[in-house]
Amino acid sequence: MSECQADACELLTPMEIYKTLTAQGNKVRALKSENADKADIDTAVQLLLKMKCEYKKLTGQDYKAGCPPTEDITSPENGPGSEDGDDVVDPWNVTTNNAKGVDYDKLIVRFGSSKIDKELVDRIEKVTGQQAHRFLRRGIFFSHRDMHQVLDAYEKNKSFYLYTGRGPSSEAMHVGHLIPFIFTKWLQEVFNIPLVIQMTDDEKYLWKDLTLEECHRYTVENARDIIACGFDVNKTFIFSDLDYMGMSPSFYRNVVKVQKHVTFNQVKGIFGFTDSDCIGKISFPAIQAAPSFSSSFPQIFNGRKDVPCLIPCAIDQDPYFRMTRDVAPRIGYIKPALLHSTFFPALQGAQTKMSASDPNSSIFLTDTPKQIKNKINKHAFSGGKDTIEEHRQFGGNADVDVSFMYLTFFLDDDEQLEKIRQDYTSGALLTGELKKCLIETLQPMISAHQDRRKQVTDEIVQQFMTPRKLDFEY
Ligand code: TRP
């Protein structure tokens, strides 16, 4: 067949092209059955071929009558930095004008995921026989894809594995970075399943002004913090892309499969790449997709390609996995399921997430008790009133108060949290007292983390990062 040149359909969505194609197919059939002029039939067939070519270019799928395109991953709604009111959410930016933070219900609609409702939380409790983690009880993990399917299979004794990751862009990790790992550790424990953790040092090299050596070193340093969250070495494999890609033929084969089935047009639509982005960035999403397929880890899954994968991650990573879920069936794999978390707010307020590049916005895992205290007292945005008198009279606003938000992440006792909320709202509890409560929650938590991190020797890191068999029965 001749080269694809048609760009006429460039601005249409896959569904629109699909419909036009179906109409054109019908037209060709009608012309043929009418024994129409050969030249007319040829012209109509030429146009049909051109449109099929364009359809494949845009969706990566072959056009088949009666089979509309699957998840519309290039829909402009889902595009990079796409705006809904003023919320911007993509792998590189998270901002909103709302002091309460991003409107997560709208995000569910925009991304086409499902809400984690009470029914799902109850079901997780029933299946695991454990009280749901506070992140589930409090809607911090708020959205999912296909979690019911994972539970259906698990109830029939079909296990699954967990996949999460981290882009090691500096040595400095902050408390917000721990959220997915704290939750993933809980999932590993209650489901008793293996876990792979991808350290995308390649991604950070491509996106930031860092050397390969720096990125690789950050991988190892960050791995220490991740290990300090308490993962089971017999069930956890942590890998650096820079190392593992080159030594795992199975992993690289999956990367290439994904690369063959996603077009430049698609990644432009999903991630906003432009003609001047380096080609490493353009092909990187295939590398973040590959760990979603069990055949990327033959040493763990004995070459099985049908072990389902569940990915806990912050919602800004969803574009990668919309792409992954779109290609999966086309390369003979199961779509990974997802659990999405909200963002961890900056000290200055929930308009943006905590960022390691702004030291005043973050509480680092290396901070001393004194630094923690000072940062919270000085920078944590308060929903309290300007004077004690006013505060006593009118009460504070917990919905925009960063100290209160942090307590919802880290204070495990539901009753105590609710009492704090009520007392703060009524004015009985002052901002200084609320901050003190947060300081007293974070100081021991971070010291304990630092102690555990000290125990993580080079040998232990090495153990976690060696490709090997894990405890797993399917
Ligand atoms: N891109 C992610 C980051 O920059 C890292 C990552 C890779 C990841 N694979 C993942 C995060 C899977 C969550 C789940 O942090």
Side-chain angles (χ1 to χ4, degrees):
M1 214 175 82
S2 68
E3 278 286 311
C4 254
Q5 287 162 338
D7 272 340
C9 306
E10 196 86 344
L11 297 171
L12 298 179
T13 67
M15 187 49 95
E16 285 163 342
I17 301 187
Y18 171 81
K19 285 182 185 156
T20 325
L21 251 166
T22 306
Q24 186 65 19
N26 290 340
K27 186 172 166 195
V28 169
R29 226 166 302 125
L31 285 172
K32 282 184 179 166
S33 71
E34 286 163 13
N35 278 327
D37 196 83
K38 186 169 178 308
D40 288 347
I41 297 180
D42 278 353
T43 316
V45 169
Q46 278 307 322
L47 184 58
L48 181 68
L49 288 177
K50 229 169 148 185
M51 287 165 73
K52 280 191 178 173
C53 211
E54 191 57 29
Y55 181 80
K56 172 132 197 199
K57 216 166 103 188
L58 184 66
T59 64
Q61 306 169 16
D62 282 313
Y63 167 78
K64 249 171 88 186
C67 301
T70 44
E71 280 171 49
D72 192 356
I73 53 167
T74 53
S75 147
E77 287 292 296
N78 293 337
S82 102
E83 296 186 15
D84 197 333
D86 293 300
D87 294 2
V88 177
V89 176
D90 65 36
W92 303 281
N93 304 290
V94 175
T95 52
T96 172
N97 278 340
N98 189 337
K100 291 183 192 173
V102 171
D103 185 333
Y104 291 106
D105 284 331
K106 272 197 194 162
L107 218 51
I108 287 176
V109 175
R110 201 168 96 201
F111 284 4
S113 58
S114 311
K115 194 177 170 79
I116 297 184
D117 51 14
K118 173 126 189 350
E119 188 200 332
L120 180 55
V121 176
D122 288 348
R123 188 163 177 217
I124 293 173
E125 292 194 333
K126 194 168 141 260
V127 173
T128 62
Q130 307 276 335
Q131 186 195 27
H133 192 273
R134 61 179 182 275
F135 293 170
L136 283 171
R137 304 199 299 270
R138 298 179 189 160
I140 287 167
F141 273 78
F142 72 103
S143 151
H144 76 102
R145 295 183 190 274
D146 288 352
M147 189 59 195
H148 281 291
Q149 268 109 302
V150 169
L151 295 174
D152 288 344
Y154 189 77
E155 280 182 323
K156 292 186 191 124
N157 288 320
K158 288 219 175 100
S159 198
F160 60 100
Y161 73 102
L162 298 164
Y163 158 40
T164 191
R166 152 131 188 101
S169 48
S170 80
E171 226 163 308
M173 282 179 69
H174 57 62
V175 285
H177 290 138
L178 290 186
I179 305 305
F181 294 107
I182 292 171
F183 187 62
T184 303
K185 179 203 178 300
W186 181 81
L187 290 170
Q188 175 177 64
E189 232 170 62
V190 300
F191 286 105
N192 186 26
I193 43 173
L195 158 68
V196 297
I197 302 178
Q198 178 179 48
M199 305 300 290
T200 53
D201 33 21
D202 51 350
E203 176 190 16
K204 294 303 147 180
Y205 172 71
L206 290 165
W207 261 270
K208 308 251 162 177
D209 187 18
L210 296 167
T211 64
L212 280 167
E213 289 66 35
E214 283 166 329
C215 295
H216 190 264
R217 193 167 62 79
Y218 297 155
T219 282
V220 177
E221 287 313 307
N222 289 183
R224 279 184 220 283
D225 283 296
I226 293 169
I227 293 167
C229 292
F231 293 106
D232 180 347
V233 69
N234 296 313
K235 295 197 182 69
T236 308
F237 174 46
I238 304 179
F239 62 98
S240 137
D241 281 345
L242 291 175
D243 292 334
Y244 190 60
M245 279 274 283
M247 65 197 208
S248 173
S250 308
F251 189 92
Y252 187 56
R253 276 166 172 70
N254 279 340
V255 170
V256 173
K257 275 192 189 178
V258 175
Q259 286 174 342
K260 179 164 174 166
H261 291 84
V262 181
T263 63
F264 183 31
N265 245 322
Q266 284 180 304
V267 288
K268 267 201 264 189
I270 303 169
F271 299 98
F273 297 142
T274 67
D275 287 358
S276 47
D277 277 310
C278 71
I279 59 174
K281 286 187 185 178
I282 291 151
S283 60
F284 173 76
I287 300 172
Q288 184 153 334
S292 315
F293 309 126
S294 61
S295 58
S296 295
F297 306 99
Q299 70 282 9
I300 303 174
F301 303 107
N302 292 320
R304 293 189 64 150
K305 58 174 207 172
D306 60 348
V307 185
C309 174
L310 172 65
I311 307 172
C313 62
I315 186 82
D316 62 337
Q317 297 298 306
D318 189 64
Y320 287 109
F321 301 118
R322 282 204 294 274
M323 184 200 86
T324 307
R325 286 168 55 84
D326 184 77
V327 287
R330 288 186 277 120
I331 57 177
Y333 294 142
I334 327 172
K335 293 180 180 192
L338 287 136
L339 291 171
H340 298 123
S341 74
T342 61
F343 303 110
F344 194 76
L347 276 166
Q348 285 75 8
Q351 286 88 345
T352 177
K353 63 174 178 173
M354 195 173 258
S355 156
S357 46
D358 176 1
N360 282 336
S361 83
S362 298
I363 293 170
F364 291 103
L365 300 177
T366 48
D367 281 349
T368 62
K370 201 167 157 217
Q371 284 173 314
I372 295 170
K373 182 174 164 201
N374 289 341
K375 277 191 199 173
I376 291 172
N377 281 334
K378 207 164 153 191
H379 298 294
F381 182 80
S382 168
K385 297 288 181 293
D386 289 345
T387 65
I388 294 187
E389 294 69 38
E390 267 182 81
H391 189 88
R392 291 276 187 232
Q393 192 180 350
F394 302 109
N397 181 358
D399 289 343
V400 300
D401 192 288
V402 169
S403 302
F404 184 77
M405 288 182 204
Y406 287 8
L407 282 172
T408 65
F409 281 83
F410 296 120
L411 187 68
D412 199 46
D413 187 327
D414 288 341
E415 278 173 35
Q416 198 187 346
L417 184 72
E418 180 52 23
K419 175 139 183 15
I420 292 172
R421 198 186 63 75
Q422 282 174 9
D423 289 351
Y424 192 60
T425 310
S426 75
L429 191 74
L430 299 174
T431 293
E433 293 164 335
L434 175 66
K435 288 192 169 186
K436 184 158 175 277
C437 187
L438 174 64
I439 291 163
E440 285 169 1
T441 305
L442 283 184
Q443 282 174 336
M445 187 189 104
I446 290 176
S447 309
H449 178 88
Q450 290 166 356
D451 290 344
R452 286 193 306 269
R453 191 184 195 277
K454 272 192 216 123
Q455 314 287 314
V456 182
T457 59
D458 290 349
E459 289 70 45
I460 293 177
V461 175
Q462 196 54 48
Q463 246 182 313
F464 272 92
M465 299 191 71
T466 303
R468 67 209 186 280
K469 210 172 148 34
L470 300 179
D471 283 356
F472 177 63
E473 272 168 52
Y474 187 71

